[in-house]
Amino acid sequence: MTLCLVGATALAGCARDAAPPADSAATPEGTPAATAPAAHFDQHSYAEPGKVRIEDLALALAVDFEQKQLSGSATYTLDWVDPEATQLVLDTRDLTIEKVVGERADGKWADLEYTLADAQPPLGSKLTIEAPQRSERIRVTYRTAPQASGLQWLTPAMTEGGEQPFMFSQSQQIHARSWVPLQDTPQVRFTYTAHVTSPEDVMVLMSADNDPDAARDGDYRFEMPQPIPSYLLAIAAGDLVFEPISERSGVWAEPAMVEKASAEFADTEKMIEVTEELYGPYRWGRYDMLVLPPSFPYGGMENPRLSFITPTVIVGDKSLVSLIAHELAHSWSGNLVTFVTPNHGWLNEGVTSYVENRIVEALYGKERADMETAIARNALREGIEEMSDAAQSLAIRPGVEPAVDADGSEVAYDKGAWFLSFLEQRFGRDVFDPFLRGYFDHFAFQGIDSQTFIDYAKDNLLAKHPGKVTEAELEQWIYEPGIPDSAPEVSSPRFDAVDTARKAWLDGGELPATSVTDAWTTQEWVHFVEGMPETLPVDRLAALDKAYAFTGTANGEIAQRWYPLAVRSGYGEANEEIAEFLQRVGRRKLIMPTYDALVKTPEGLALAEKVLSDARAGYHPITTGSVDAVIAKAKGEATTTQAD
Ligand SMILES: [Zn+2]
């Protein structure tokens, strides 16, 4: 994912923008006893992969926009790992289970007994299926609830075109269970097929072999031949059309958006080629992108073959396409080599953020890559101070009980990426690039934990190139809090120039002339605003606005920094545009800093509540949960609301 929440609200999971706290949660009641040594304890799932594993999933689903419901069946092909096992335990949330059948030895299907336990937030309801025959195939017939945490249903009015409804999933981290009963843990990988029916004029897509030439007829079939973890299961339906970028890549979007999107993402094929050169072939066939409505709570989600992308990165100058580099990079780090449980989030997000920056450097140059690195590290430095020691660590040492939120935040992304930059600096690219490529090959289509990475690095990096990095340094980076002294720094002459310009103005001089700022990119504007004091006098903000028109900016990255400064400074002139921005955009990373700033004063809190009440219908449940929690906390209410 693309997360990276700067500021208070907690995170976890992938999509480039960290996920909400509910994702890394309490220990489930009736903790699954990990009997088989291959199974890792995953406190986010009831599944018992040491006993039985889903190898293939066959979905037959109908999309019903009126009822906000998916209904149909899931048929599992099972590998009964433990010879004693006779139960299949699945994760579900808010599902209605209608029937469970198993295939008998004679090929006939017979009813199976099952128990659906009461819901235990945030895990959901444990579904226990009795399978005394150890059926190779079991089928669950079910339907979803309108409030399914992993689905968002939008009315036509909430879309760009305004004519067709829209629906999309966000399964990471533990939301797949709200639309398919599953072993919802990344240590289980399965292939899947799906037969999906919908209203005739709606296009349906999945994280599978989408056909760019598919006829829009309400009857769709999909196949995903590579085994994936459950959090990569994805579906979307709406008024979607396709625009190719290259032979193997293109954009799906609403008709009004598709040309803008394909122009913005025109470099995608080059990105694929650059990544293949560094880390080996792209193994998933097509790489397409789906542009979602602005309510998508994340920056992007690396659903295989079809990354889900926020429209907020389409700003006309390709300045925010590092998001595409990020989601594409997940085709190696995350989708191919996957964390075994979300407690090892950095193996997905840190490695991906590193690869993302390498792609950006290869396409747009080192200056831009370094500016992006500097922005990320500045935010990390600021955010990490307020975190617990456990949250500051990339992972918890083996044998230590995982803490809530241990996988959250920019730590997994930016400290993780920093760790890889450290290795790159010490060993040099001549050594480190082939090492990382070998790592992707070695663990392809597997889930691993942090200790496995350490062991692999010891054998293939430290032992082969002695004297460069010690095992203690590896362990410090992964298991200890804070940022090690060994962390390499980046310098950015372009940011130095921005710093000089800002300081001159703050010291009473002139604002930088437009002849200077005309050459600034998004990154420089972000840095300019981020370096401002905590608050500024209102007349100073007005002067900035007069010169650069920050208020009302179409660039969410700038809005994300400018509006909190405006709120903290009591610059009421921005309130109308703030309300408009918060209502229009649902991407948590962009809006939460402004909500966090608003709730600190009674007037701001009132505005936040007003905005939320207007925006609620259009927000994704994940976003609503985050905003509700911030408002409740400010009001001193018990924050029982989980983000899911
Ligand atoms: Zn990511």
Side-chain angles (χ1 to χ4, degrees), residues 145-335:
Q147 77 276 16
S149 63
L151 300 176
Q152 187 178 16
W153 300 86
L154 299 172
T155 61
M158 297 172 186
T159 67
E160 194 80 28
E163 284 177 17
Q164 300 289 348
F166 202 108
M167 179 274 291
F168 65 91
S169 67
Q170 169 57 37
S171 294
Q172 194 173 35
Q173 192 55 53
I174 54 169
H175 300 292
R177 66 191 63 178
S178 74
W179 62 284
V180 185
L182 277 173
Q183 289 180 306
D184 199 6
T185 170
Q187 53 196 303
V188 175
R189 302 183 84 97
F190 52 85
T191 54
Y192 79 86
T193 56
H195 180 201
V196 182
T197 55
S198 73
E200 269 183 19
D201 41 8
V202 165
M203 188 73 210
V204 178
L205 304 171
M206 290 192 80
S207 54
D209 61 339
N210 301 292
D211 176 4
D213 302 318
R216 208 191 274 203
D217 60 2
D219 190 302
Y220 305 97
R221 288 180 189 274
F222 303 93
E223 185 180 7
M224 171 44 94
Q226 288 101 346
I228 58 164
S230 55
Y231 75 85
L232 295 178
L233 197 60
I235 188 169
D239 185 7
L240 295 167
V241 294
F242 182 77
E243 180 77 27
I245 287 172
S246 68
E247 274 296 303
R248 58 175 165 175
S249 183
V251 175
W252 289 93
E254 287 193 62
M257 191 56 128
V258 76
E259 276 181 38
K260 254 189 276 180
S262 64
E264 195 87 23
F265 305 151
D267 294 338
T268 303
E269 175 61 34
K270 276 186 241 162
M271 290 185 175
I272 303 172
E273 287 166 10
V274 156
T275 322
E276 287 187 312
E277 238 165 75
L278 282 168
Y279 305 120
Y282 178 75
R283 304 191 191 214
W284 304 87
R286 296 195 57 81
Y287 180 77
D288 294 324
M289 292 154 282
L290 168 63
V291 178
L292 291 172
S295 66
F296 184 48
Y298 297 116
M301 178 64 212
E302 65 273 25
N303 297 315
R305 294 175 181 233
L306 186 70
S307 287
F308 285 19
I309 303 293
T310 175
T312 61
V313 294
I314 301 170
V315 289
D317 62 3
K318 299 182 182 174
S319 64
L320 300 177
V321 295
S322 59
L323 180 90
I324 305 300
H326 182 95
E327 305 314 330
L328 171 68
H330 271 304
S331 306
W332 285 261
S333 42
N335 299 5

Side-chain angles (χ1 to χ4, degrees), residues 99 171 206 228 295 333 365 371 455 515 578 592 613-614 627:
K99 188 180 176 69
S171 294
M206 290 192 80
I228 58 164
S295 66
S333 42
M371 286 196 288
D455 292 343
S515 59
I578 287 174
M592 291 314 295
S613 78
D614 293 343
V627 181

Side-chain angles (χ1 to χ4, degrees), residues 313-367:
V313 294
I314 301 170
V315 289
D317 62 3
K318 299 182 182 174
S319 64
L320 300 177
V321 295
S322 59
L323 180 90
I324 305 300
H326 182 95
E327 305 314 330
L328 171 68
H330 271 304
S331 306
W332 285 261
S333 42
N335 299 5
L336 188 63
V337 181
T338 309
F339 54 42
V340 76
T341 75
N343 295 323
H344 304 276
W346 76 275
L347 288 170
N348 280 22
E349 296 308 334
V351 180
T352 292
S353 298
Y354 171 81
V355 172
E356 163 198 334
N357 200 249
R358 293 294 301 272
I359 298 171
V360 168
E361 182 189 315
L363 261 75
Y364 306 109
K366 188 158 165 47
E367 278 192 337

Side-chain angles (χ1 to χ4, degrees), residues 384-400:
I384 204 167
E385 285 172 12
E386 295 160 24
M387 297 177 193
S388 68
D389 278 5
Q392 293 183 25
S393 310
L394 289 176
I396 306 298
R397 282 186 193 278
V400 178

Side-chain angles (χ1 to χ4, degrees), residues 609-630:
E609 289 192 277
K610 164 80 170 61
V611 169
L612 176 62
S613 78
D614 293 343
R616 187 177 290 276
Y619 273 175
H620 190 283
I622 290 173
T623 301
T624 312
S626 299
V627 181
D628 275 338
V630 164

